[in-house]
Amino acid sequence: MNESSNCDHHVDDDDSDDDVDDKKDADADSNSDDGDGVNADHGLLTELGPQPLTVPKARQFLSWYTLSQNPNVSAVDNKPALLPLWVRCDMSDPSRTTWLGAETVCVANKVTGVKMYSVTCRGMRVCSLLRVSLKDRFARFNLFGSTMVENTMIESQSSVTVDLKWSHVESILETPPLSSTAVLNIKIASGDQRSPMYELYKELEFLQTLADGLRTGQTEWMEPLESTPAVTLTKLLLFLLKVCPSYNPFGKHVCLFSLFLKTTKPKSETDTPVFSSFLERGDLDFVEQLWVRMRKSVTSCQDIADCLKLVIEALRYSDIKPWIHRDSSSSLSKLILQCYHQQIETVSLTGVTPVNMLLEMGLDKMRKDYINYLVGEELTTLKHLSYFLSTEVDLQEQAIRLRKLHHLLEIVVTCSTFLALPYDCLFLLTQSCLQHYKTSPEDEEHEFKLQIKPALISHFYEKEHPVMWGVEVSSGHGPREVRTCFQLSDRPLVDHVIFDTGAFYIYASSSNEWSTYHIEVQITCFFF
């Protein structure tokens, strides 16, 4: 990209040639068309969409754009800043330019400069040593996200990258030193099967199905995880409690049901020691155990009603007096408390009442799951979680806040499990996520930022190629200052070009090998 032509608003002399070529093309088109848009040779109606421009034509438009934004031109005074302008190019130039763009730089609503962009799909071979005065340099590495398995890319909606900035760069694609400043960019999507949170995500998914059913009046039931009917599982739970009142239906005794029902299943790939260590609680009370069985087996509202009817009758006739957590707030928990005083109120298990009761049970259980980890690991306190744990709002809002808490935990657990970040980093990340979600809606596309020390994650990137590497060159001062940013990316910068990937290669002296990259040039001109 010619800097002078952009900074001084010079329009290339090649424009006249292009006009002639355009006229010739137009004449040729008119000769081959029968006047109705039908090709004389083929008889087909052809409708052309927006066509790319030559680089000289594109530069002409950008020059007009730049001139119209220059406050030193009297006609421009007090005019509002224009939106960015991007011109698609036809790649007919030697660098095969695909886009040229311009964007205003504003300070206090006043235009002070214009950024000029150039995106090419074929660049020259860049030498390994830089001999220019550098203002800034940066690199981005991918730490977690899509993975390559047996030459097949497994795409992931989650990604954790790190942006590093440093000084005294010596070569292209240089590995950032430990003195760099590093910022993590964290974007995590729930449901990744690699995550220790996957089983809890499936549980949340069922809970959301119940909430959606109450909201819309129509429930799409998930495929049951247990082959044994929900009513049978409930009867077995009640039977064991009746014949053995001292039996505690939680912790390691859970396997009794699997053995008794002969439904033992092979361990899932997600049943890792990490998962068991902080997501499986050993203090599930009766209501939570009932939820665990029902959410894996119910397939209709009638299933839920039948199970709850069995439990309420057992409570009414004092067949069982199960133990529950003191702070349980579900309707069933309140009935259990009443059974100790033999004053159980009548519950009509019709309409949406059974679904409502089961949703309350799930919300109660999963809130305690999240508390168990976040408070147990001393990442926050119950006071700071009060917004997410409140039962004063309706069930739909409780479900929304629970999803926020789940996403928060997905972020923290990912950084703990896969990046092995220390406690102080996880604590700061937790506080940042809590603060964000107290005022913002759930958004898995949101990118959380966390500044860390490069030494904590250097082993992830020291032997890897960056996904992005750039350097900013500054020339001139004051009104003549021009900043040029050269950026290398391992991904195509445009989507309308079929790239010849063999044409993009940069030599990295740090690793003594060639790497495939795409090149973008950004030029910023300041008016002052």
Side-chain angles (χ1 to χ4, degrees):
M1 187 175 195
N2 189 310
E3 291 185 19
S4 62
S5 65
N6 290 291
C7 301
D8 302 331
H9 326 300
H10 173 73
V11 180
D12 288 355
D13 295 333
D14 294 339
D15 290 352
S16 58
D17 296 336
D18 285 330
D19 291 339
V20 174
D21 292 338
D22 291 342
K23 186 175 186 305
K24 288 180 180 179
D25 293 339
D27 292 340
D29 291 340
S30 63
N31 292 334
S32 61
D33 198 297
D34 63 4
D36 295 322
V38 179
N39 188 289
D41 295 332
H42 304 286
L44 298 175
L45 182 65
T46 57
E47 294 183 3
L48 295 178
Q51 297 299 298
L53 301 179
T54 62
V55 169
K57 278 289 185 183
R59 286 178 175 171
Q60 184 178 16
F61 278 110
L62 295 183
S63 294
W64 291 339
Y65 176 95
T66 306
L67 187 63
S68 70
Q69 296 297 285
N70 193 330
N72 297 319
V73 178
S74 58
V76 182
D77 193 27
N78 296 324
K79 293 293 180 67
L82 295 176
L83 294 174
L85 173 65
W86 283 90
V87 183
R88 180 179 166 184
C89 301
D90 61 5
M91 302 187 298
S92 60
D93 61 310
S95 295
R96 300 192 66 186
T97 303
T98 54
W99 285 98
L100 290 179
E103 178 185 12
T104 56
V105 178
C106 297
V107 176
N109 296 324
K110 181 180 179 181
V111 177
T112 59
V114 172
K115 291 182 179 180
M116 312 295 287
Y117 298 89
S118 172
V119 181
T120 63
C121 68
R122 186 185 298 274
M124 67 180 66
R125 183 177 296 184
V126 181
C127 63
S128 61
L129 293 180
L130 299 177
R131 300 298 185 186
V132 293
S133 175
L134 304 178
K135 181 178 179 61
D136 196 11
R137 63 293 308 151
F138 60 90
R140 171 173 291 184
F141 291 85
N142 186 26
L143 304 183
F144 176 81
S146 301
T147 56
M148 184 72 71
V149 178
E150 296 181 355
N151 297 324
T152 301
M153 177 63 71
I154 300 178
E155 295 293 338
S156 173
Q157 299 301 313
S158 300
S159 68
V160 180
T161 61
V162 59
D163 289 341
L164 300 112
K165 294 185 178 181
W166 71 101
S167 57
H168 308 299
V169 65
E170 294 292 337
S171 61
I172 293 289
L173 300 180
E174 175 184 83
T175 300
L178 295 181
S179 58
S180 308
T181 59
V183 176
L184 291 181
N185 310 298
I186 307 165
K187 186 178 73 171
I188 301 298
S190 302
D192 193 326
Q193 295 190 26
R194 295 173 295 173
S195 171
M197 295 286 294
Y198 183 69
E199 287 299 318
L200 206 56
Y201 165 77
K202 299 299 290 184
E203 191 170 348
L204 181 68
E205 199 174 34
F206 176 78
L207 185 143
Q208 188 61 49
T209 298
L210 299 177
D212 291 342
L214 288 174
R215 179 171 49 83
T216 63
Q218 186 174 3
T219 304
E220 295 184 7
W221 297 98
M222 301 172 63
E223 188 72 21
L225 302 177
E226 290 284 354
S227 58
T228 306
V231 172
T232 302
L233 290 175
T234 303
K235 287 180 177 179
L236 286 170
L237 177 60
L238 296 174
F239 173 76
L240 284 177
L241 286 174
K242 183 177 181 179
V243 299
C244 184
S246 62
Y247 169 70
N248 293 322
F250 54 79
K252 62 183 179 180
H253 298 289
V254 171
C255 63
L256 276 175
F257 291 97
S258 297
L259 294 172
F260 189 78
L261 297 171
K262 298 182 180 179
T263 57
T264 304
K265 298 180 180 180
K267 286 190 175 182
S268 167
E269 292 180 2
T270 57
D271 292 337
T272 61
V274 174
F275 174 80
S276 301
S277 64
F278 58 79
L279 294 180
E280 287 188 350
R281 290 195 288 122
D283 63 342
L284 299 184
D285 66 11
F286 169 76
V287 176
E288 292 172 324
Q289 280 291 322
L290 183 61
W291 157 263
V292 168
R293 283 155 180 75
M294 291 179 67
R295 74 102 176 169
K296 293 181 179 181
S297 56
V298 296
T299 57
S300 66
C301 292
Q302 190 60 49
D303 274 352
I304 301 174
D306 291 343
C307 292
L308 292 177
K309 183 180 179 180
L310 289 171
V311 173
I312 293 174
E313 286 181 352
L315 294 172
R316 178 168 284 114
Y317 293 111
S318 298
D319 291 337
I320 59 170
K321 288 188 177 181
W323 169 82
I324 59 171
H325 290 294
R326 179 180 298 178
D327 58 348
S328 298
S329 61
S330 67
S331 298
L332 184 58
S333 296
K334 293 175 182 177
L335 289 176
I336 292 174
L337 288 176
Q338 292 174 8
C339 86
Y340 282 92
H341 304 285
Q342 288 153 2
Q343 297 175 347
I344 298 179
E345 62 186 54
T346 301
V347 179
S348 177
L349 296 174
T350 58
V352 298
T353 301
V355 178
N356 210 75
M357 292 180 67
L358 186 60
L359 177 59
E360 290 176 343
M361 293 161 58
L363 288 168
D364 234 12
K365 187 262 182 185
M366 296 195 72
R367 277 193 290 258
K368 291 184 177 66
D369 290 338
Y370 300 138
I371 292 172
N372 182 63
Y373 177 74
L374 292 172
V375 177
E377 295 294 318
E378 299 183 350
L379 295 174
T380 187
T381 63
L382 285 174
K383 181 179 179 180
H384 286 96
L385 289 174
S386 59
Y387 165 83
F388 303 94
L389 306 178
S390 174
T391 57
E392 301 300 320
V393 295
D394 61 47
L395 292 180
Q396 295 296 330
E397 179 62 24
Q398 289 182 41
I400 290 172
R401 296 185 184 186
L402 192 69
R403 290 202 310 270
K404 290 182 180 182
L405 206 55
H406 179 90
H407 188 225
L408 180 155
L409 201 59
E410 289 268 16
I411 294 168
V412 175
V413 170
T414 296
C415 291
S416 172
T417 304
F418 297 103
L419 302 184
L421 294 186
Y423 167 78
D424 56 339
C425 291
L426 296 176
F427 178 83
L428 292 175
L429 179 59
T430 302
Q431 302 310 308
S432 173
C433 294
L434 286 173
Q435 192 63 35
H436 172 80
Y437 271 141
K438 284 181 181 178
T439 56
S440 303
E442 180 196 10
D443 180 13
E444 294 191 349
E445 292 299 315
H446 180 76
E447 197 171 65
F448 291 90
K449 306 285 186 179
L450 178 67
Q451 186 165 346
I452 62 170
K453 297 178 180 178
L456 297 175
I457 42 92
S458 60
H459 56 285
F460 285 100
Y461 67 79
E462 284 181 338
K463 296 182 180 180
E464 298 293 331
H465 292 298
V467 296
M468 188 181 297
W469 195 96
V471 62
E472 185 176 284
V473 182
S474 179
S475 61
H477 298 281
R480 297 181 178 275
E481 182 179 6
V482 176
R483 296 176 186 171
T484 304
C485 179
F486 298 92
Q487 181 173 299
L488 310 177
S489 174
D490 70 343
R491 291 180 177 270
L493 302 172
V494 293
D495 56 7
H496 67 274
V497 178
I498 298 177
F499 290 97
D500 176 12
T501 56
F504 312 102
Y505 45 95
I506 304 295
Y507 183 71
S509 60
S510 58
S511 58
N512 295 321
E513 59 184 42
W514 295 91
S515 300
T516 301
Y517 284 96
H518 305 275
I519 303 173
E520 176 187 8
V521 180
Q522 170 194 327
I523 299 178
T524 305
C525 317
F526 292 93
F527 298 121
F528 294 100

